[in-house]
Amino acid sequence: MHTRTRIHTRHALIAPDGYVPSAFPGWFGMTCFVLISPAMGANFSQFLIVIDALDHHVGFAADANEHVIYVEKGDAVIHWAHGQCTLSDGGFFFAPPGLAMTAKGTVGTRMTVYRKVYQPLEGYEIPQPLWGESNKIKAEPFLGNPRAMLQTLLPIDPAFDMAVNIFTYEPGATLPFVETHIMEHGLLMLSGQGVYRLEENYYPVQQGDAIWMAPYCPQWFAAIGDVPAGYLYHKDIHRLP
Ligand code: UGY
Ligand code: MN
């Protein structure tokens, strides 16, 4: 038997061939895979939720965690005490800490959720709920390379302690150097394929794979194949260590 999944102390590649769902009280009609979590040493969690039935429930209580929901495919309606919004393919929602919410989707909807304890910043209000569509967010060349385009989904504002970005590479494009940084990443391959360097390892990766990069995990990516390689990732930002 074989799996591409690798779990190390400073990084992990989690391939769909090994996914096993979790059960949570009150959640039904969906499948939830906790792909990354503090149980592996991360400072955040990354869930993949797939809606299986018309009658389903996915809910998050009001606690110290902020959440970002990204709809990879399908439709989702997010409800909270004072509002609601509808997301479709590429839609995203930011829920500040203290916001209880539910997500209702059509059958087959795939959502990624980032969940992390929010770190307040003196002098700044906790951000309000916010949502948008990634296909309306301008892509910028990464460090001047128009073949490696970056979209920044959340506002660049010190009140946010998390960035959620989409990186899209033309085949053959690469990260320009092996990055080593304090910021942690949780990543989902949205399209295409490539080779991810994590510490001293080079992994073939493809659509559907998730990756955890702990702080200071040396990282590099090269896109290969016939179609652009895209990934969604989160990054902790704007707070002194
Ligand atoms: O934002 C980043 O740190 C990004 N360049 N890292 C990555 O794609 N692995
Ligand atoms: Mn990085």
Side-chain angles (χ1 to χ4, degrees), residues 96-170:
L99 192 86
M101 61 167 169
T102 60
K104 272 214 161 297
T106 50
V107 173
T109 294
R110 281 170 64 95
M111 298 178 241
T112 283
V113 179
Y114 291 109
R115 170 179 165 87
K116 178 178 101 48
V117 174
Y118 176 76
Q119 282 186 268
L121 182 63
E122 207 182 319
Y124 288 85
E125 298 280 319
I126 295 175
Q128 292 297 308
L130 178 147
W131 58 98
E133 290 173 43
S134 58
N135 52 21
K136 293 206 175 130
I137 304 249
K138 194 168 184 292
E140 305 280 357
F142 184 65
L143 300 178
N145 182 359
R147 305 188 69 247
M149 299 294 284
L150 190 67
Q151 291 169 285
T152 308
L153 306 191
L154 300 182
I156 309 289
D157 171 342
F160 287 85
D161 70 346
M162 166 157 58
V164 176
N165 303 333
I166 295 178
F167 222 138
T168 309
Y169 301 74
E170 292 300 321

Side-chain angles (χ1 to χ4, degrees), residues 142 150 165 167 169 175-176 179 181 183 185 187 196 198 213 219-221 231 233-235:
F142 184 65
L150 190 67
N165 303 333
F167 222 138
Y169 301 74
L175 270 180
E179 296 182 356
H181 50 64
M183 295 80 79
H185 293 320
L187 181 153
Y196 231 105
L198 302 168
M213 293 171 240
Q219 57 200 252
W220 178 80
F221 179 69
Y231 56 74
Y233 70 101
H234 111 292
K235 179 171 180 171

Side-chain angles (χ1 to χ4, degrees), residues 84 94 113 115 148 209 228:
Q84 71 171 64
F94 168 81
V113 179
R115 170 179 165 87
D209 290 348

Side-chain angles (χ1 to χ4, degrees), residues 174-234:
T174 69
L175 270 180
F177 58 92
V178 181
E179 296 182 356
T180 307
H181 50 64
I182 188 171
M183 295 80 79
E184 192 173 12
H185 293 320
L187 181 153
L188 173 73
M189 287 297 296
L190 296 173
S191 58
Q193 56 180 318
V195 174
Y196 231 105
R197 176 192 164 139
L198 302 168
E199 300 183 87
E200 301 307 315
N201 306 277
Y202 291 81
Y203 298 104
V205 295
Q206 64 191 37
Q207 181 178 13
D209 290 348
I211 295 175
W212 169 55
M213 293 171 240
Y216 299 110
C217 168
Q219 57 200 252
W220 178 80
F221 179 69
I224 58 172
D226 298 329
V227 297
Y231 56 74
L232 173 79
Y233 70 101
H234 111 292

